[in-house]
Amino acid sequence: LWTSSSSSLVTHYISSRSASSTKAVKSKLPIQGDNWNLSRRNRVRLRWLGYWSPRIVLFIWGASFVFAGAYLLKKSVDTEGFTTNFSPGSGGDVGKGEYSLIDHDGHKFTREDTLGKYMLIYFGFTFCPDVCPVEMTKLADIADILKARGIGLDVLQPTFVSVDYRRDTPEMIKNYMRQYTKGDDKKILGLCGTREQMEHFARIMKTYFSDPPQLEEDYILEHSTYMYFTGKDGAFKHLTNTEDSPQVLANKIALWIAEDNGKVSKIKEQIKQVFV
């Protein structure tokens, strides 16, 4: 006999089978949302890439910036272009060769123009950001100290030689030196020249400077920071010490001039140098 209880049992059975079938279908579908149907290894790889990818990109960008800066610095300094490999002031023939340059008034200047005077020569360039301004101030101060002692420009000629033959013109050099000479164009002699002239003069003086790059406009140059003291015959006599003050250098130059004129014996000069 079919009763209501039998009907309830059948309905319950059909409902149970239907629910089981639905669960089976759902279990075969990919997992939705954040839990993709991926293996544990793939999920680890995705997390690793998500963590490191932006950091790798930042590292590569930073490294590229550093290498680009290093390359531009190398190009601006151009350390492979040193004109000479001589040690400053070495050799007995220093300053004895003939040369021709241009002074800050645009006139030709040769070794013949130095005869009869002592010269204190500093090599630099007008765009020099740090060392040259210090040494140029020192050069002007030395001239003032010596002038007060009776050693004027008729005895010693302070001289600035530009190694930047690409940018420094006589007019630029004249304007540059006025910053240190207070408008006195005769206090410091400015010299410049072509590449060939400057390289020849550098060989004569046994100094060095880096070759200006041909493409860049904003660059710095390596060069000697010594001052060269030459005799009345144009020959090299002494190198100054960069660490010395203008007062100390003026004392030394006065002694060198006195010794060269036979007014101070060499032994006395050596003793005095210790206490200067």
Side-chain angles (χ1 to χ4, degrees):
L1 294 175
W2 186 267
T3 64
S4 60
S5 60
S6 298
S7 178
S8 298
L9 289 172
V10 171
T11 302
H12 177 72
Y13 174 77
I14 292 172
S15 300
S16 300
R17 292 288 295 176
S18 177
S20 299
S21 298
T22 302
K23 290 180 179 179
V25 172
K26 288 184 177 180
S27 65
K28 293 178 181 179
L29 294 174
I31 298 174
Q32 302 298 319
D34 296 333
N35 299 318
W36 293 355
N37 189 19
L38 298 173
S39 66
R40 183 176 182 277
R41 176 180 295 181
N42 289 335
R43 290 198 299 272
V44 171
R45 287 177 179 173
L46 286 174
R47 291 194 188 97
W48 187 91
L49 288 174
Y51 178 82
W52 285 107
S53 293
R55 289 165 174 78
I56 292 173
V57 171
L58 288 175
F59 175 79
I60 294 174
W61 179 85
S64 301
F65 181 80
V66 171
F67 283 118
Y71 172 77
L72 292 176
L73 180 61
K74 178 182 180 300
K75 290 294 289 182
S76 65
V77 176
D78 191 25
T79 54
E80 296 179 355
F82 282 131
T83 299
T84 74
N85 293 319
F86 301 114
S87 298
S90 65
D93 60 340
V94 177
K96 291 184 178 180
E98 298 297 329
Y99 58 86
S100 176
L101 299 172
I102 305 297
D103 69 16
H104 61 257
D105 289 321
H107 301 142
K108 183 179 179 181
F109 185 90
T110 68
R111 179 174 173 270
E112 297 297 321
D113 296 310
T114 70
L115 300 181
K117 279 188 180 183
Y118 299 98
M119 294 188 72
L120 186 62
I121 305 172
Y122 176 70
F123 293 87
F125 60 107
T126 63
F127 289 86
C128 182
D130 40 32
V131 178
C132 295
V134 174
E135 296 304 309
M136 287 296 291
T137 301
K138 187 183 297 184
L139 189 62
D141 290 343
I142 291 170
D144 290 337
I145 295 171
L146 291 176
K147 182 180 179 180
R149 297 181 182 181
I151 303 176
L153 298 179
D154 58 328
V155 178
L156 174 78
Q157 178 61 67
T159 304
F160 169 73
V161 180
S162 170
V163 299
D164 191 355
Y165 54 81
R166 275 196 62 206
R167 295 180 297 188
D168 285 347
T169 63
E171 186 65 25
M172 289 177 65
I173 292 173
K174 177 185 285 188
N175 292 332
Y176 176 73
M177 293 191 305
R178 283 174 177 170
Q179 302 176 53
Y180 309 100
T181 61
K182 299 178 181 178
D184 184 356
D185 293 339
K186 295 183 179 180
K187 181 184 289 188
I188 299 177
L189 172 67
L191 297 174
C192 62
T194 64
R195 175 174 183 168
E196 291 74 19
Q197 289 174 320
M198 295 311 305
E199 287 185 344
H200 178 66
F201 188 59
R203 292 189 183 98
I204 290 175
M205 297 304 297
K206 296 296 187 292
T207 187
Y208 70 91
F209 61 89
S210 58
D211 196 25
Q214 297 303 310
L215 298 179
E216 291 82 358
E217 292 298 329
D218 185 13
Y219 57 83
I220 58 176
L221 298 174
E222 291 287 338
H223 59 87
S224 168
T225 58
Y226 300 99
M227 292 184 190
Y228 292 69
F229 179 77
T230 62
K232 289 186 288 186
D233 58 353
F236 168 80
K237 291 288 187 180
H238 300 280
L239 280 178
T240 65
N241 190 335
T242 307
E243 287 73 28
D244 285 345
S245 67
Q247 184 69 47
V248 169
L249 290 176
N251 291 344
K252 289 183 177 182
I253 291 167
L255 285 172
W256 293 339
I257 293 174
E259 192 276 332
D260 188 61
N261 291 319
K263 296 180 180 179
V264 179
S265 69
K266 194 170 185 179
I267 295 177
K268 287 182 179 179
E269 178 189 350
Q270 292 174 346
I271 294 173
K272 289 182 179 181
Q273 294 284 3
V274 177
F275 301 100
V276 172

